[in-house]
Every structure is written in C-alpha cells, then in structure tokens.
Amino acid sequence: MPVLTVSREGEFAIVTLDNPPVNAVSEEVRKGLVETTAQLDAEDSVEAVVLICAGRTFIAGADVREFGKPPVEPHLPDVVMTLEQACKPWVAAIHGSALGGGFEIAMGCRFRIADEKAKVGLPEVNLGIIPGASGTVRTPRLAGVDAAVELATGGKPLAAPRALEKGLIDKVVAGDLGREAVAFARDALKQPLPTPVSQRTLVPKDDAFWQAERVKAAKAGHSAPLAALEAIRFATTHSFDEAMAHERATFLDLRGSEEAAALRSVFFAERSATRPDFLKGIEPRKLSRIGVVGGGTMGSGIASACLTAGYDLVLIEQNDEALARGRANIEKTFDGAVKRGKMSEDGKARLMEESLSAATDYAALSDCDLVIEAVFEDIAVKRDVFAKLDSHCRADAILATNTSYLDPREIASAVSDASRFLGLHFFSPANIMKLLEIVPVSETAGDVLAAAFSLAAKLGKIPVRAGICEGFIGNRILKRYRAEAEALVRDGVAIADIDAAMRGFGFKMGPFEAQDLGGLDIAFLQREGDRKAGKDIPDTLGDILVRAGRKGQKASGGWYDYVAGDRTPHVSETVADLLGSSVTGSRTMGADEIASHLVGTMAAEGKAIVEEGIAESGTDIDLVEIHGYGFPRWKGGPMFWSERQSAS
Ligand code: T1G
C-alpha cells in the first residue's frame, strides 16, 4: 500500500498520506512528496493541492526511528522547499497533531487549515534536538519571533484556536476536514497567493529579549532549548539560506548527542511501558467504578487522578469528619487544576457532584470494579481494611493496596481470594507523579495485572511491574543512594558539595536537600520500626539528626539550617558538631566524581534488582528513576547513563 495516494475533486488534487501509526515522515514519505509535487505540477487540470492524512493524526514529525542512521536524501528541508516552490499551491489540512517535521511540511504549504481539536508544535527539544527542516527559520517568518520562541524552545504544542491567533495557521474548521480544505482552496484561488514563507521578512528583537529568553530556556537543564533559541536569533540576523545552513548543522550535531540518544530512549520506553510483552494476549478486567479507602494525601490524590481520567469514584473514610476532609482534599486539587486552566469550573462541579460519591459504610463499594486502599502504613490497619473489603466487594472486584513499604503478601492473606489482589504503589502527589509501581503477588490473576496496566494508561501514568522486596524498585534504590551519600559524608565530603553535584547533574535537588524538604523522620520511623521488630539496622547519620530534633525544613533544621519562612538551605555548624565524630575521612571529590559515584551506585542497585527479577529490565529502572525520583530524563536514567559511560 503506497504511503501517498492522489485523488481528484474537480480542479483540486487530494494527496492522502497513510503511514501508520502517526504518519511519521520516513524516507518513503519524503520521496513520495517530491515525486507527487512534480507529478501534480505537470497536470494542467490541477489548480491546487490538498495534503491530508489518514488515521488519527496529521504528520507527527520525522520518523524518530531513523535518527540513529545517516540522513538519506531527499532531506526534509529540501522536501519542504519543493512544496513551497510548487507551481500549484498546497493546502495542509491538519487533524490530530502537526508536529516537528509535520508542521515544517505544513509551513512549506501555501496555506494551513486545521480542525478545532488539532494541535501544531515543534517538540524537537523534547528529543534533545532542534527543528531540522526550517522550524527555527520559517516559523518566525510565518508568525513572528515570539511565536517561534514559544513553539520551538518550549516544545509544547498549541491548540488550533491559539495557533490561529498567532498566525501559525490560516483557518480553524469544523465538520469534514477534506471538504473544508477544498472549499478553502477554491476561495484562496480567487485572490493573489500569499508570499511564500521563506521569502517573508521578519522583525528582529533587541538583546534584552534574547537575554530574557536565554534565562528561561536554560531552566530546561539541557542544551536543546538554548540551541533552538540561538537558531531563531541567528535567523533574525541572517539570510534564509544562511539560517537554514545554521539550523541544519545544529540539528545534525545535536541528533548525534548523548542527550538526544537518552531522550529518544526514554521516548520509546515510555510508549511501550503500558504494553509490556508479558501481558500480550491477556484481556484486562474492565474498570469503570473505582473505590478508594482513605481520603488523606495519597487517597485523595489517587481519587483525583481517577476522577479526572473519567472513572466514577467512591471515597471511603472512617467517619464523617474524615470524609469531609477527604472531599475537601479532592476539591482543593481540582481548584488548582481550574486555576491552571486545566479544568473548567463546570467540569470540576460535574466531577464533585456526579462522579464522586463518599461514604463511611463499606457497602457503598459493593459495585466497584477496583478498590484501592490508601490508609495508614500499618499492617494491622491494612489487614482490617482488606477483611472488610473481602466481605463487602464483588467477588470479581480487584483489591489493591497502595503500600510503599509493607509486604503485600502479608496484606493479601487477609483476602480470601488473593488472585484479585495486588499492590498499586502511587507516588505523592498521586494526581501529578506519573510513576506507578505495580506489585503483583504470586496469586495475582493475569487479567487483574492487565487491568492495572490499563488503569495506568488511562491515568496517563508510567506503569512498572515490581517484584516484592523492601522498597520494591524505587525506594530500594533511594535507600542505597542515601546510604552512599552518607558514606561520602563520613569520608569527609561536604554535604553541600554532594547536593550541588547532584543538582549539577540535573536533579532538582540533592539527596540531603530532598530529605530536608520531605522530612528526615519518615525514614527514621521506618528504621526504628525495623529495629523494634528485631532487625539489625545500624544507626545512620540521619538518625543522629532526628534524635537531636532535626527533622528537616518543618523543624527549621535538618541537614541544613533554615530561617523561618525561607526554604534556602544554610550549611549548619550544629550539624557539623553533631556529626563530627562520625566523619572519619578527609576525602575531597569534584562534582563530576560525586555524581558519577552516586549515579553509579543507583545503577549497581538497579542491576541487582534486575538480576533478582524484581524489575523486568534496566529500562524499567530508568523509567522508575525518571518518573518517580526526579532523575533528569535527558540523561536517560541511571542504567542508560552508566552503560553509556562504560561504553565511552
Ligand atoms: N517517529 C516514529 N514513531 C513515532 C513518532 C515519531 N515521530 N511519534 C510516535 N511514534 C510512535 C510511538 O512510538 C508509538 O509506537 C505510536 O507512534 C503511537 O505513539 C525534522 C527532526 C504524535 C502526540 O516529537 O508526541 O520531526 O509503541 O503512543 O499518545 O524538525 O506520539 O505503538 O509501536 O505516543 O496518540 C518530532 C512525537 C519528531 C512527536 C501521538 N515529533 N510523538 O501520541 O500515541 S523530530 C515528535 C508524539 C522532527 C524535524 C524533526 C506522540 C503523538 P508503538 P503514542 P499518542
């Protein structure tokens, strides 16, 4: 089946691209567009051309799978120029998303129309590259420098109505896109054609603008956004051809970079996460009504995520006051979404009044397909909840615990049929954090596990199957990371140097700053619980601080001192005194050495976790670290990064 077919509507040619799943621009597509342009230019009866796509979307960009190979002619910038120079004007008819090379092709067309739900964007920076087919050169000519900077350095697509406002497209249409495109072309031919985009002039900006934008672009933490900004700036002070040469050189250079390789790896890993091989052919149990037991931080976050994804939700709490607090927690989450423009007031009202129900009686869960427990992290409390669920829920209802540290098997024993039981470890805030560790027990049925992955997909989360060990995958690596960071402190490496090194690597916070924010007492209480249970848990440096009342920012001091009302960490003399006798070394390490050592430690723990069968693959470890623990995605994750270090 050819990827391009041509049909006729009177004096108009309709060129349909059909290259599933997202009409990515492969070598075949590029060749087809060049040939078709020449063919239609030669047909006198054709007066204009409509470019439209089959399937779910317009062209979603260059085929990322070709990035690892040498570029093959015809190169996309040349294809775009061929379209622009065609004798017959082309009209791009956009549905779904016109992204990257897809939007660049649309800019090569003389006109662009889009259905009202469509989006356009230049998301290349999310892959560690910049547009490579005139995105940084045509966009400022088409819609101005501001629009180009927003699109190409931010990497976020714009909805069609906003794209129209900015001049990126010519019309937003409802109804049949193909028919509307032909009608648009017919009207367009009645007046002089607009100047081809490459021949338009653009309005430069002053240095203050570029400086301000550099500060914003630098916040991304990796180089592509700054490179995209520089390419746009270069385009404002050079000819079209010079700017195209600069863009192409930058694109090819970045395409071969470590960051681009890392971001491509993460891109594909995220897309396959919801469809693991071990679920092939297994039909998930259907989910439409979900119960959540516990309206605290986790429970209300999980409930908010499920409500936003379209599930009916029953919230259970132990009494009316707790129930009211739970509802208020959910409402507060939605108020934030409304404030950020992610939800309308009506939408929030519908969720709160129609989709959400709340009760203290477990009988309200009787027709739920799934119930997620998110109560206090105590085995007796959890077992009591599951005993009630076992008697109140349908026999085929899935029962899940959100536990992060308890052994799900000990909870499962409170359920008569453990085939319907598993762990669903959400991360706080559960309506924001994308990671979901899915922890089956040996009895968990295949269609129950499949239902958990389909839930993750619908919630827009990244699911990773985890075996059962202390901390599953992410918290086990976190514990090892923190222990190794403390070992460096014992060796004489400064706490602030360690945090600075990890921020320099790309984390928003180092291990000590993060503990001060989250609170040192959480892990302390877990260690104390284990000690009481008879486990031999040596004292940590964190224990010394907690015992001295230093629990973190909430206690105005942890690893650092804090001034009331200010989250800025200050190196603490008190901490130096408290830990003085524990610091036995005088080791000095550079930032790169610290980061390499600690990321290597994460990777070593990840390797052990894979070898023990707790995680399927190193890629899963990377997804856990990126989506649960702030690992910089442009480094690919600890496993990817460590492999690349040892290969280089
Ligand atoms: N190339 C190859 N495969 C792609 C692809 C792409 N650009 N985009 C998606 N896929 C695959 C994906 O791996 C999955 O495959 C399937 O399509 C469905 O994707 C010159 C150089 C378009 C919004 O960055 O943002 O153009 O797992 O699950 O949720 O300047 O895919 O089913 O086998 O994400 O409906 C710029 C990336 C490229 C767009 C659809 N374009 N894609 O989301 O489906 S660089 C992008 C997306 C470029 C030029 C430069 C999303 C989507 P499989 P999906 P979705």
Side-chain angles (χ1 to χ4, degrees), residues 384-415:
D384 177 53
V385 166
F386 279 92
K388 287 184 197 163
L389 294 178
D390 203 32
S391 58
H392 284 85
C393 295
R394 285 196 333 251
D396 66 338
I398 298 171
L399 305 182
T401 174
N402 175 55
T403 189
S404 50
Y405 265 100
L406 300 175
D407 185 334
R409 291 167 298 197
E410 287 181 36
I411 302 168
S413 59
V415 173

Side-chain angles (χ1 to χ4, degrees), residues 21 56 60-65 67 101 104 124 127 131-132 271 275:
R56 57 173 147 169
D63 190 330
V64 182
R65 282 176 287 237
F67 281 16
E104 289 166 318
E124 286 85 342
L127 292 169
R271 276 150 185 79
R275 302 186 294 267

Side-chain angles (χ1 to χ4, degrees), residues 9 14 50 52 113 175-186:
E9 293 258 330
I14 314 297
V50 167
I52 197 164
I113 73 166
D176 181 88
L177 183 61
R179 194 172 305 124
E180 290 289 342
V182 169
F184 179 91
R186 186 173 285 113

Side-chain angles (χ1 to χ4, degrees), residues 476-495:
R476 172 168 156 179
I477 292 175
L478 177 65
K479 186 174 174 183
R480 175 79 190 279
Y481 168 47
R482 285 178 173 172
E484 193 58 26
E486 283 200 12
L488 294 183
V489 173
R490 291 176 193 274
D491 280 354
V493 182
I495 291 166

Side-chain angles (χ1 to χ4, degrees), residues 272-297:
S272 49
T274 54
R275 302 186 294 267
D277 291 344
F278 54 79
L279 289 178
K280 269 205 170 60
I282 299 176
E283 191 59 31
R285 231 175 254 189
K286 292 282 174 278
L287 302 176
S288 65
R289 190 172 181 77
I290 295 176
V292 171
V293 180
T297 305

Side-chain angles (χ1 to χ4, degrees), residues 8-13 45-47 186:
R8 295 295 292 272
E9 293 258 330
E11 69 274 39
F12 301 105
S45 60
V46 169
E47 294 194 11
R186 186 173 285 113

